[in-house]
Each structure stands twice: as C-alpha cells, then as structure tokens.
Amino acid sequence: MQIAKYNANGNDFIIFHTFVEVDRSGLAQQLCDRQKGVGADGLIVLLPHPEYDFKWQFYNNDGSVASMCGNGTRACAHYAFTNQLAGASMRFLTGAGVITSLVENDVVETELTTPQVLSESFDENGLTWHFCDTGVPHLVTFVDDTACFDKVIARQMRYKYNANVNYAMLKENTLHVRTYERGVEDETLACGTGMAACFYSAYRQKLIEASAKVYPISGEELNLRIENQRLFFKGRVQKVFETVLEL
C-alpha cells in the first residue's frame, strides 16, 4: 500500500486513499506506533463520496475514531489536491460534518464546523475552565504561563469530561497553547481544534480580536479568525515523505 506522511504544525499523520471502506482501527494502531510502525498522531483515509469531493476516516494513534481534527483537515486537503482528488478549493465529509478547505501552495485554510458552547465556565483544580466543541469537545483554561501545564490534572479532566484539555496563555492579541489529546493520551506538539477552542473561548470573553496568531508548543504560527460565527484556521503543511509499505 502507498502512504504519505504529513506534518501540520507539529501534528503528524499517515494518509492514503482507497475505494474500500472498512474498520481500520487495528491498522491505525500498527502504522501509528512510533517504535514498531511509521509513527504518527493519527491515520487519515480518504474515500469517495457522491456529493462531496471525498469523505474521511480518521483514527487516533490508539485506534479510536475521532470525529474531527483541525490540523488533520489541512493535511488531508493538501494530500487530496496533490493527488488530484480535489481542486484547490474543496468540501469533504468528516464525522463532525462538512469541512471546506483552500490550498495555496503549502498553506491551507480550513473552515471548521460551527463552534458550540457545552457548558458555562466552572472552577475545578484551582483553575477556571471553559467547555466548548470545535469539532470535538475541548476544555480550556487561561493561565499566566503555559509552563504550569500539569499533565496529571489534564489527564484527570480528560477522563472526567471525555474531552481534550488545553492550557492557553494570552499575550496581547496572541495565544500560546498546550494540549493534552484524548486518543493520543498525552500532550501533543499541536492540536488544531484545541487552538480553535482556545481562540473561540477568548473571543467570547472579548479577550482577543476577531483575528489572531496562535502558537502551539511546536512553535509554528497559525492564524485563526472568526467571521459571522464561522471559524477559519490557517497554517503551513509539510509533506514529509511518500512510500510503499508491505503489510
């Protein structure tokens, strides 16, 4: 089988396209293993769709299915355009709904699904949390310094609320974000929907403008903007390599 490895702001993905739709949880675990496989945060499989350019199957590296992944949408859009599966502007179906992406060289902008507030803000573990869904559920807390990121607390909150957990630091009109991702069950170098959740939570509290720069711990710059309650997420994508595997 032919696969491509992509990196999008620190999130890495294995991507391929096929006509066959089957459960690929075991394959995701095999390929995404960083010691015994290729290594990745997730597996993305592109499949034909009668109405949209394509649809995807998305698996976390533990084999669990995820409805949405912000950086994953940008990586697979670049893959689809490069492999002539779609034009530079495309629409494709995810578990969270229809996604629109635009490819301009190595920069991809995705319009994310409409964000939803899941609960009012609440205090727990000495922190104030905001709970919203930007394709998948995210807990967001604003801190003075992301160095206080506590993996023990993050893991506890992740399992209690079945959500990804984000620590965000706001500096002028810029966000710095650290994320503990379910499915990976660890901190990742970046999380697109997590950064979107932090931006959206800050915007709702009027702490940030309608367009801002966001930095995950990978250090790469992303741009997030909101327009008529629609979230747009833009950044560079890197095709790392392409290869043929014998399984």
Side-chain angles (χ1 to χ4, degrees), residues 41-110:
D41 290 329
L43 170 67
I44 303 174
V45 183
L46 277 60
L47 295 155
H49 192 276
E51 185 176 352
Y52 304 107
D53 290 294
F54 57 90
K55 68 176 181 179
W56 84 359
Q57 291 178 312
F58 185 96
Y59 297 91
N60 294 310
N61 68 1
D62 68 351
S64 61
V65 175
S67 300
M68 178 58 178
C69 173
N71 281 323
T73 64
R74 297 190 305 104
C76 84
H78 192 282
Y79 174 92
F81 177 67
T82 301
N83 287 277
Q84 300 181 332
L85 303 175
S89 178
M90 67 192 75
R91 300 178 75 220
F92 55 96
L93 185 63
T94 72
V98 179
I99 295 295
T100 301
S101 292
L102 176 64
V103 181
E104 297 177 326
N105 298 317
D106 62 343
V107 176
V108 181
E109 182 175 65
T110 286

Side-chain angles (χ1 to χ4, degrees), residues 215-233:
Y215 295 90
I217 61 169
S218 69
E220 299 182 48
E221 180 181 293
L222 293 109
N223 294 92
L224 272 147
R225 62 186 176 92
I226 188 166
E227 185 178 307
N228 297 323
Q229 293 302 305
R230 296 156 63 203
L231 277 177
F232 295 86
F233 176 52

